[in-house]
Every structure is written in C-alpha cells, then in structure tokens.
Amino acid sequence: MALVSLVDISIAFFCFLIFQIFLISKKAHPSFLTNWPFLGMLPGLLPEIHRVYDFLTEELKKLVYLHGAICEALRLYPPVPFQHKSPTKTDVLPSGHKVDAGSKILFCLYSLGRMKSVWGEDALEFKPERWITENGTSVHEPSYKFLSFNAGPRTCLGKEVAMMQIKTVAVKVIQNYVIKVVEGHKVEPAPSVILHMKHGLKVTVSKRCLG
C-alpha cells in the first residue's frame, strides 16, 4: 500500500509538470506528446504502436526521455520529502561537523533537489535532458545525490517496480488522453511525511485522436 501511494503521488506531479509547465514554457510543441521520439527510440517501432500496445519491461527501459522526465519530477517533488539518519557511533561528517552516536540528522530531500550547489544554476527548472547523455543514453546520478529512493544499503527495494509502474501509466495516459490542468488551479505541495498536493490536481481529460 505504501508503494502504491508513493507511485500515485509521483504520477500526479509528473502529469502536472509535463502537461502544464513543460508545454506552457514552450520548450516543446504539444505534438511531442503524440510523437514517439518523446517516449524514446524503440528498435523496429511500427506505426501501430500509436494504438493499443502492451509494453514489456525491457522496452520500457529504453524510453530514455520518459525516464529523464520522471526522474526530474521525482527530483523536484520527492514523494517522501524528509528523511533522517542516526549514527551508531560518533562520527564526523564531510563538512567537518561532529555527530554523536544516537543523534538524529534530519534532511530535506525537497530542498536538496532544488539546491544550485548540487544541481547547477538551473536547479529549479524542469529539464528531462538533465538525465540524458550526448549519446542519447540515460545519465546515472549517485544515489547520495538523487535520494528519492534513499541511498546505499537502504535503497528502496521497490525502486525498479515503482519506476516500471510510473512509466507504464505515463505511456498509456500520453498515448490515449489529452490532459489539461484547469486554468487558475494552484498546484503546491503540502508539507508532510508524504508530499501530497495541497489542493489536488484538477484537470480536464479528453480522448486523444489516434487517427
């Protein structure tokens, strides 16, 4: 149930970023949603794929641009915005700060994902290209930098499952529907253990023409 809840939240913020910010900023023409280069290049792709198609796990992994867009959504809106760690013995952080055994260190993933010192001067921008190399492959960021799935030995066991679920839903939504955020609707996160949308996501949904 916890994984399902986090996936739902991730998809909501992903849809908001894709169908609202990304299009309004005119970084891409709306037609990018119906053109498969947006979803990545699949070898031997047939025109019929615009219609009903069952994706296999290996094919979903090849959708490089979609992967980048999802990672950007998770970077800017991590489903779990706060985490804490507690050292079992006294230690010194890389910053030089001493931490005593048993003390709690609270850090905010929401802020970390927006720090210019970590992600560059464009840290507040939604840029799926950030996750794509010049060769068109996915960029791998260290888990200690991209903490949406935790890091090290405590990395989320459901990470791959969650990513596959988000990709599957995103592909089917983009394939079959046109989603528009209701004009004037304010989207903002509600500070909590789980990063919900404070006012939800009000949208209009219409069937996409597949002709």
Side-chain angles (χ1 to χ4, degrees), residues 29-202:
H29 189 275
S31 64
F32 90 111
L33 292 177
T34 57
N35 292 332
W36 279 90
F38 160 73
L39 296 177
M41 299 302 293
L42 288 174
L45 189 64
L46 299 176
E48 288 90 315
I49 203 170
H50 284 281
R51 295 172 172 77
V52 179
Y53 188 86
D54 294 325
F55 285 95
L56 301 177
T57 300
E58 290 306 312
E59 291 174 325
L60 285 173
K61 288 182 178 180
K62 297 175 183 177
L63 306 183
V64 177
Y65 196 92
L66 178 62
H67 180 82
I70 293 172
C71 286
E72 271 293 87
L74 290 170
R75 177 182 70 85
L76 292 168
Y77 296 100
V80 181
F82 299 97
Q83 287 191 24
H84 77 270
K85 302 296 182 183
S86 182
T88 56
K89 59 182 180 180
T90 300
D91 203 349
V92 178
L93 299 178
S95 62
H97 293 83
K98 179 182 177 181
V99 289
D100 296 322
S103 60
K104 286 190 176 182
I105 303 173
L106 180 68
F107 51 99
C108 179
L109 275 64
Y110 182 86
S111 298
L112 180 62
R114 295 160 183 264
M115 290 176 63
K116 293 181 180 180
S117 60
V118 177
W119 295 98
E121 290 300 314
D122 58 357
L124 297 180
E125 296 182 32
F126 176 68
K127 293 179 63 176
E129 299 85 1
R130 192 189 312 276
W131 300 84
I132 304 174
T133 67
E134 294 182 356
N135 296 326
T137 58
S138 294
V139 170
H140 172 73
E141 292 289 2
S143 58
Y144 289 100
K145 177 181 178 181
F146 180 57
L147 280 162
S148 292
F149 293 101
N150 215 320
R154 294 188 180 278
T155 297
C156 177
L157 295 177
K159 175 182 178 180
E160 293 302 322
V161 174
M163 287 297 288
M164 287 300 106
Q165 288 181 341
I166 295 172
K167 288 179 182 179
T168 300
V169 173
V171 166
K172 288 304 180 181
V173 168
I174 292 171
Q175 267 190 314
N176 296 291
Y177 302 99
V178 175
I179 297 178
K180 295 181 180 180
V181 179
V182 172
E183 186 175 352
H185 176 61
K186 187 176 182 180
V187 175
E188 60 180 304
S192 176
V193 175
I194 303 297
L195 195 70
H196 293 285
M197 287 185 175
K198 189 173 183 179
H199 308 290
L201 183 62
K202 295 181 180 180

